[in-house]
Amino acid sequence: MGTAGDGGAGGGAAALRLPGLHGYAAEFSPYWPGRAACAAAQYYGIAGCGTLAVLEQKGAGIVLLRSYDWNDGLFDVTWSENNEHVLITSSGDGSLQVWDTAKPKGPLQVYKEHTQEAYSVDWSQTRGEQLVVSGSWDQTAKLWDPAVGKSLRTFKGHEGVIYSTIWSPHIPGCFASASGDHTLRVWDVKAPGVKLVIPAHEAEILSCDWCKYDEKLLVTGAVDCSLKGWDLRNVRQPVFVLLGHTYAIRRVKFSPFHATLLASCSYDFTVRFWDFSKPNPLLETVEHHTEFTCGLDLSLHNSGQVVDCAWDELVKIYTPSCLTGPV
């Protein structure tokens, strides 16, 4: 697995090829500037094994720091919020794996409760609690304490597969889930049942995220090619709709630095950057992958820095030109 650089977004993207692996998720470390993790699968996630790749930008390239294999495809990854070396992945066999990058081999632990693919995993960001939420094709979300070997709670209610589970960065114990049942749901780990059900699209919803500056604002991305913003105080109508992608939106992320800026990636091979406060919200379209683009994250350390991954075996770190100056 070598390093490479290529031209394109914002004066050049650093790239790393993961031969035979198709990227599903990419996440920057909350601790180390320029360090990221990629969850990947062989054979497009349909069969074969999975790999967690931990990588770092060095100059114009990306170096592979660690690589861990699992016996099924890996679909998502999240970094620990209390240990800079620990990550959790979710897998096609329904299990979650805990990894420690200070160790050459792993996993440290495996949590196997979901009965179908575990498609999403997220570590809470609010202080005072270390909680992980997972979402599965078995239509449930599960709450975990990484120090406990079994789930603390199972959340039922979705009538389709769960594609995305994301903690609120503001409200302790609150997470959102996006599903093939066309709904976005908001849950409170201390309350019974579901807090809010939003029929957000007339299509499968593959991704959701919380605004980092407004605790009441969420965004959804769906198979209908649209992104929609939702104000939890009034969910009858979206507060914005962003159109431009030509195939399903696979992942959406709000910027950690700009209240109205977000990024999305799609099965149309592109990554798009948006400012929903502008009359023409599409800021830029980055076209540097040749397959489904599935993983996407924005750095907490370096304003404007982006990591993405796709089924073309490439992970890229770059700054799109729309984020190189003041937004």
Side-chain angles (χ1 to χ4, degrees):
M1 298 184 185
T3 62
D6 72 349
L16 178 71
R17 184 175 295 279
L18 302 173
L21 293 167
H22 305 108
Y24 267 86
E27 295 284 325
F28 277 117
S29 165
Y31 296 96
W32 310 89
R35 184 171 295 187
C38 176
Q42 291 180 313
Y43 307 113
Y44 306 97
I46 298 162
C49 300
T51 297
L52 169 64
V54 181
L55 40 99
E56 193 162 77
Q57 184 169 18
K58 297 278 190 188
I62 300 174
V63 295
L64 185 67
L65 301 178
R66 292 277 196 208
S67 178
Y68 302 99
D69 294 329
W70 184 245
N71 55 19
D72 210 319
L74 297 181
F75 294 144
D76 202 9
V77 59
T78 187
W79 289 86
S80 165
E81 293 288 336
N82 69 349
N83 182 329
E84 69 265 33
H85 298 293
V86 171
L87 305 101
I88 299 182
T89 50
S90 65
S91 175
D93 62 9
S95 67
L96 308 181
Q97 303 78 33
V98 183
W99 309 90
D100 184 342
T101 62
K103 296 177 168 58
K105 292 186 177 172
L108 293 180
Q109 292 173 288
V110 178
Y111 304 136
K112 177 73 172 78
E113 288 189 25
H114 285 298
T115 57
Q116 294 184 47
E117 288 88 337
Y119 217 64
S120 68
V121 64
D122 194 37
W123 197 301
S124 63
Q125 296 173 28
T126 49
R127 295 183 186 278
E129 58 185 7
Q130 296 299 326
L131 296 172
V132 171
V133 64
S134 59
S136 170
W137 288 11
D138 67 12
Q139 305 186 7
T140 71
K142 286 180 178 283
L143 176 70
W144 310 82
D145 176 338
V148 178
K150 61 181 189 299
S151 65
L152 305 178
R153 186 173 164 196
T154 299
F155 299 84
K156 297 180 180 178
H158 275 296
E159 296 169 11
V161 303
I162 297 176
Y163 289 110
S164 179
T165 45
I166 307 287
W167 289 106
S168 165
H170 308 282
I171 309 163
C174 177
F175 71 91
S177 57
S179 169
D181 68 7
H182 306 180
T183 68
L184 171 71
R185 299 184 187 222
V186 178
W187 311 79
D188 178 347
V189 300
K190 297 177 185 68
V194 64
K195 196 170 171 184
L196 193 59
V197 180
I198 304 168
H201 297 257
E202 293 182 7
E204 290 197 293
I205 308 170
L206 303 186
S207 185
C208 63
D209 197 29
W210 296 81
C211 179
K212 310 301 185 279
Y213 292 86
D214 180 347
E215 69 176 38
K216 297 295 186 185
L217 184 62
L218 284 127
V219 64
T220 51
V223 172
D224 63 9
C225 309
S226 74
L227 296 157
K228 293 184 181 181
W230 301 97
D231 184 328
L232 297 184
R233 291 163 294 200
N234 180 4
V235 298
R236 286 194 298 263
Q237 296 289 332
V239 290
F240 63 80
V241 178
L242 304 175
L243 301 173
H245 281 294
T246 56
Y247 283 94
I249 294 165
R250 182 60 178 80
R251 205 174 294 266
V252 59
K253 292 282 180 80
F254 270 107
S255 166
F257 289 99
H258 306 284
T260 58
L261 196 140
L262 50 89
S264 56
C265 65
S266 165
Y267 292 161
D268 67 11
F269 307 173
T270 72
V271 181
R272 293 175 197 241
F273 297 87
W274 316 79
D275 184 338
F276 66 81
S277 70
K278 295 190 184 308
N280 298 309
L282 181 59
L283 302 177
E284 186 173 347
T285 300
V286 174
E287 301 179 276
H288 62 190
H289 286 289
T290 57
E291 257 292 358
F292 288 176
T293 306
C294 294
L296 175 67
D297 197 23
L298 288 82
S299 172
L300 292 168
H301 296 281
N302 303 317
S303 178
Q305 190 177 58
V306 178
V307 63
D308 65 34
C309 66
W311 283 10
D312 59 8
E313 307 180 349
L314 292 172
V315 183
K316 298 198 175 190
I317 296 177
Y318 59 99
T319 301
S321 51
C322 69
L323 299 185
T324 53
V327 175

